[in-house]
Amino acid sequence: MFRFRRRRAAEETAAEPVDVPAEAAARAEVFWQRWDDLLPELASALGDSEPQRVENLVADMVASVHPNLTFAIEHGEKAVYALVLSGQADPELRPYTDAWIAAAPQQDTLWEYHDSVPPVPDPTEVTVNLRGEKYPLGEVRVAAQVDEAEGVVDVAVYHPGFGALEDKARQALTFLPLDATLGERLAADRLGRVETAEREPEGAIGLLELRELVRDLDRTTTQEP
């Protein structure tokens, strides 16, 4: 019955155009009402190191915002915990994550909220495990070319461990440092062409320099009339 009702809803949506921002805002409001009710039980489960007690409840709440969203509960940057929703850079999901974060409660010492996977504080201190081997992201070098007209940065990523990796793993080690450095949202908005470099490019920079370059471009582009 539940699946049938969802199919009927999809058919009705196709027949009658939906005001997506209004729908997203209404779903977000319901989410945060349910979140407020769940907080005591959630705090108890996390305090007991048993997040599985409420995992399905949170998953259902996130699906009610949009079924294609993913989520994670992690250690926060400034708060104890962070609730992270991700649309995985799908532009059709952006209105839902935008509405969700706009309606979020004030962050406090216990909880902070993110509408996309945030960057790690220092990506050069991260080590990625692939195929049983360790690859320090501090060894990543990036050739970056700014396309001011398009407001994006084209990059070629190099790691000295690329030579020992198959194509799929090499591709993973190309994109993981970028997401860790910029976060999901900024990487999706401001990276243009992404390539894997077989040798270290001339004039390449480190990940922290790349972060500053892309953030500067984002500030400049966002401020333009």
Side-chain angles (χ1 to χ4, degrees):
M1 178 181 289
F2 180 69
R3 292 182 178 178
F4 174 74
R5 289 175 64 185
R6 290 184 65 185
R7 282 200 301 270
R8 286 289 301 275
E11 290 167 2
E12 291 167 4
T13 298
E16 299 180 10
V18 172
D19 184 342
V20 171
E23 179 187 66
R27 293 185 183 186
E29 182 178 358
V30 172
F31 176 94
W32 290 116
Q33 290 172 351
R34 295 176 64 188
W35 176 260
D36 189 56
D37 293 338
L38 182 66
L39 274 177
E41 185 177 352
L42 183 59
S44 175
L46 294 175
D48 294 339
S49 298
E50 295 181 353
Q52 66 275 10
R53 296 204 319 240
V54 292
E55 185 176 5
N56 288 338
L57 289 173
V58 178
D60 288 344
M61 290 164 55
V62 171
S64 72
V65 178
H66 195 285
N68 293 338
L69 292 173
T70 61
F71 81 96
I73 293 177
E74 303 174 348
H75 293 294
E77 297 176 15
K78 298 180 180 179
V80 178
Y81 302 113
L83 175 62
V84 181
L85 254 64
S86 172
Q88 299 176 318
D90 184 342
E92 293 187 3
L93 299 180
R94 181 72 69 90
Y96 296 92
T97 54
D98 283 349
W100 179 85
I101 198 65
Q106 187 74 28
Q107 300 186 16
D108 53 32
T109 56
L110 189 60
W111 284 98
E112 62 187 56
Y113 308 102
H114 301 278
D115 59 344
S116 60
V117 179
V120 301
D122 187 348
T124 65
E125 295 182 352
V126 174
T127 296
V128 174
N129 290 290
L130 286 173
R131 306 296 190 266
E133 298 292 334
K134 296 182 178 180
Y135 298 89
L137 298 192
E139 297 179 2
V140 171
R141 304 294 291 172
V142 182
Q145 183 173 354
V146 177
D147 185 339
E148 294 183 356
E150 295 294 330
V152 298
V153 179
D154 297 326
V155 296
V157 180
Y158 170 79
H159 191 286
F162 276 163
L165 293 171
E166 59 180 291
D167 287 346
K168 189 173 183 179
R170 191 180 302 121
Q171 184 178 23
L173 191 54
T174 298
F175 284 92
L176 279 171
L178 301 176
D179 288 337
T181 300
L182 303 174
E184 175 191 349
R185 178 67 64 94
L186 189 59
D189 287 348
R190 295 298 170 205
L191 290 184
R193 186 172 62 252
V194 177
E195 298 178 349
T196 299
E198 296 182 0
R199 300 188 208 37
E200 181 174 345
E202 185 177 349
I205 59 177
L207 292 176
L208 294 178
E209 294 170 284
L210 175 68
R211 173 185 285 175
E212 191 59 34
L213 174 69
V214 175
R215 286 180 174 177
D216 283 345
L217 175 66
D218 185 62
R219 284 191 290 264
T220 302
T221 304
T222 302
Q223 291 171 1
E224 289 180 354

